[in-house]
């Protein structure tokens, strides 16, 4: 059984240091106060391709034909370390003969002996070259991704601008054609097409305000959309209050487009047909409820509703076809109810066992 003896002199300390450093897998040096090598680990010899005879008792700066004569290292050992007991993570970036370019992190410790003025310096090396390469590659990729993101934002803004201008041009052409044609039926259809183009433009305008955010607050979105429709389409001869009652929730921007077009189509339809005669307190209500993946959207009015002998206003028309197609994209069902107190359209997700909302 071996017995560990206390260190009594410098020779014993050197033997202990040699035993310790030879068990360390990373390069390690023990230097004296003059920066001469007392001991070096086997990994130091292997990694830096030097021999013990060329290392022991040699000045650190003379090792490997001066490969450690680095200004940054001199600053560490001759200026920084004398003022401190330890130094961690000191980076050395250098080209080393035989092994090429390396980035080393150095940890240094001063060892002072109580019974003498002798001092030793422990110097540990950690090769972080590959890590630095990966970090630089990652930073370059992030920079490239950010550049592509900025380019995409510019292209998206340009596309939105062009789409908006194109919709305005189409709407203007339709309006001019409507004024020029002699046929009342043709004029009606051109005005109808103009309103639908403007509804698409309104949806696109409100989505532009989100600056490309993928998730949109549905309540705020519907409020802004309906406020815009009210401002542009409600006349002084028949004031109509358009109100929104919505749960708080976020929806993808793609889904918001379908919601916006459905609401716009139904609100326009109500404004056109629900109030053929002047009505006090005319109102259109847009309601939205959400519970997990289940949702219900209702657009209702307090207009004339079903009049005996007159076909329901949203039954089988082009607007109904648009709403049905959009609901199909959303995997939702559409139901319509009408009576003497108004007209209601309910669009509910198929996942819902029953609509989350009921019209008042």
């Amino acid at each position: 059984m071996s017995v560990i003896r206390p260190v009594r002199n410098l020779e014993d300390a050197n033997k202990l240091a040699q035993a310790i450093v030879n068990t360390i897998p990373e390069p390690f040096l023990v230097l004296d106060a003059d920066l001469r090598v007392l001991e070096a680990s086997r990994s130091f010899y292997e990694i830096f391709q030097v021999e013990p005879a060329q290392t022991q008792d040699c000045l650190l700066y003379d090792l490997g034909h001066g490969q450690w004569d680095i200004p940054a290292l001199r600053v560490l050992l001759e200026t920084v370390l004398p003022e401190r007991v330890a130094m961690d993570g000191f980076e050395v970036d250098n080209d080393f003969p035989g092994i090429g370019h390396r980035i080393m992190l150095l940890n240094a410790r001063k060892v002072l002996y109580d019974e003498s003025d002798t001092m030793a310096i422990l110097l540990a090396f950690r090769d972080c070259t590959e890590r630095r390469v990966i970090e630089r590659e990652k930073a370059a990729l992030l920079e490239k991704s950010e550049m592509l993101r900025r380019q995409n934002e510019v292209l998206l803004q340009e596309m939105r601008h062009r789409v908006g201008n194109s919709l305005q041009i189409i709407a203007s052409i339709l309006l001019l054609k409507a004024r020029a044609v002699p046929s009342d039926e043709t004029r009606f259809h051109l005005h109808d097409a103009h309103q639908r183009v403007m509804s698409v433009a309104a949806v696109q305008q409100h989505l532009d305000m989100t600056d490309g955010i993928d998730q949109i607050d549905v309540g705020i979105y519907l409020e802004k959309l309906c406020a815009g429709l009210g401002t542009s389409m409600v006349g002084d001869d028949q004031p109509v209050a358009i109100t929104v009652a919505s749960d708080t929730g976020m929806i993808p921007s793609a889904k918001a487009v379908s919601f916006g077009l459905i609401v716009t189509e139904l609100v326009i339809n109500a404004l056109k047909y629900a109030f053929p005669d002047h009505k006090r307190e005319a109102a259109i209500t847009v309601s939205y409820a959400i519970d997990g993946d289940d949702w219900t959207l209702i657009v209702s009015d307090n207009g004339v509703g079903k009049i005996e002998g007159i076909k329901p206003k949203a039954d089988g028309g082009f607007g109904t076809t648009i709403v049905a197609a959009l609901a199909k994209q959303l995997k939702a069902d559409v139901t319509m109810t009408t009576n003497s107190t108004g007209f209601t359209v309910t669009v509910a997700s198929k996942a819902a066992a029953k609509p989350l909302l009921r019209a008042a």
Side-chain angles (χ1 to χ4, degrees):
M1 180 178 178
S2 60
V3 178
I4 300 177
R5 296 179 298 174
V7 177
R8 299 182 181 278
N9 51 48
L10 185 58
E11 182 180 356
D12 287 345
N14 287 339
K15 289 180 180 180
L16 178 59
Q18 182 178 7
I20 293 173
V21 298
N22 282 330
T23 63
I24 299 175
E26 294 182 337
F28 192 88
L29 289 178
V30 180
L31 309 176
D32 64 14
D34 297 324
L35 303 182
R36 293 185 177 275
V37 179
L38 297 175
E39 295 293 341
S41 66
R42 283 178 297 182
S43 58
F44 182 87
Y45 295 127
E46 292 170 358
I47 291 176
F48 294 108
Q49 301 178 12
V50 292
E51 298 294 331
Q54 302 167 335
T55 305
Q56 294 284 345
D57 297 325
C58 292
L59 187 66
L60 174 65
Y61 304 135
D62 294 337
L63 298 181
H65 304 290
Q67 65 182 356
W68 291 103
D69 191 5
I70 304 169
L73 184 58
R74 282 185 175 271
V75 171
L76 169 67
L77 297 176
E78 299 175 12
T79 305
V80 178
L81 192 60
E83 302 296 326
R84 303 183 183 182
V85 175
M87 173 62 68
D88 294 321
F90 192 90
E91 187 171 305
V92 173
D93 190 333
N94 195 44
D95 291 315
F96 295 93
I99 62 172
H101 181 79
R102 286 290 185 272
I103 300 174
M104 294 285 178
L105 289 181
L106 276 60
N107 293 336
R109 295 287 188 277
K110 288 194 299 186
V111 180
L112 304 174
Y113 297 95
D114 293 335
E115 298 179 358
S116 68
D117 295 333
T118 305
M119 180 187 74
I121 299 173
L122 307 181
L123 198 59
F125 306 79
R126 182 155 59 91
D127 191 341
C128 63
T129 307
E130 293 184 3
R131 190 180 77 185
R132 287 288 188 269
V133 170
I134 293 173
E135 289 174 353
R136 288 169 183 169
E137 290 177 348
K138 182 179 179 180
L141 287 173
L142 289 174
E143 183 178 357
K144 185 176 180 180
S145 298
E146 179 62 20
M147 181 182 67
L148 290 174
R149 186 189 66 80
R150 289 195 296 267
Q151 290 177 350
N152 287 337
E153 284 185 353
V154 172
L155 291 174
L156 182 60
Q157 290 295 334
E158 178 64 19
M159 182 188 70
R160 287 173 171 171
H161 180 69
R162 292 189 180 188
V163 168
N165 284 345
S166 297
L167 290 172
Q168 292 294 335
I169 291 171
I170 293 170
S172 299
I173 292 173
L174 289 171
L175 203 56
L176 289 173
K177 290 291 185 181
R179 293 170 180 170
V181 297
S183 169
D184 290 339
E185 182 180 359
T186 303
R187 188 180 304 111
F188 172 81
H189 289 303
L190 287 172
H191 275 293
D192 195 52
H194 170 265
Q195 287 181 333
R196 286 189 166 86
V197 170
M198 292 305 295
S199 73
V200 173
V203 172
Q204 188 250 351
Q205 179 184 9
H206 287 292
L207 288 177
D208 285 352
M209 296 177 183
T210 63
D211 293 328
I213 299 174
D214 183 59
Q215 295 291 321
I216 296 172
D217 188 310
V218 63
I220 296 175
Y221 170 61
L222 292 177
E223 286 177 1
K224 290 182 177 179
L225 181 62
C226 290
L229 290 171
T231 301
S232 62
M233 299 198 65
V234 176
D236 294 335
D237 55 334
Q238 175 57 81
V240 179
I242 305 176
T243 59
V244 175
S246 173
D247 288 348
T248 300
M250 307 297 289
I251 58 174
S253 56
K255 191 174 181 180
V257 172
S258 297
F259 274 13
L261 291 174
I262 289 173
V263 170
T264 300
E265 186 65 37
L266 294 176
V267 169
I268 289 176
N269 191 66
L271 290 171
K272 288 168 63 176
Y273 300 110
F275 311 104
D277 301 318
H278 187 275
K279 177 182 175 66
R280 294 184 60 187
E281 298 182 354
I284 299 172
T285 302
V286 177
S287 306
Y288 178 77
I290 185 170
D291 182 12
D293 293 331
D294 298 344
W295 55 267
T296 300
L297 176 69
I298 294 178
V299 178
S300 60
D301 63 67
N302 64 346
V304 294
K306 182 178 180 180
I307 301 177
E308 196 68 31
I310 298 179
K311 189 177 181 180
K313 55 188 175 299
D315 184 17
F318 185 58
T320 305
T321 304
I322 293 175
V323 172
L326 292 168
K328 185 177 180 180
Q329 290 181 353
L330 294 169
K331 298 180 180 179
D333 292 323
V334 180
T335 56
M336 301 180 185
T337 57
T338 180
N339 52 43
S340 60
T341 61
F343 189 84
T344 298
V345 179
T346 301
V347 184
S349 58
K350 291 180 181 294
K354 58 182 179 180
L356 301 174
L357 285 174
R358 295 292 182 187

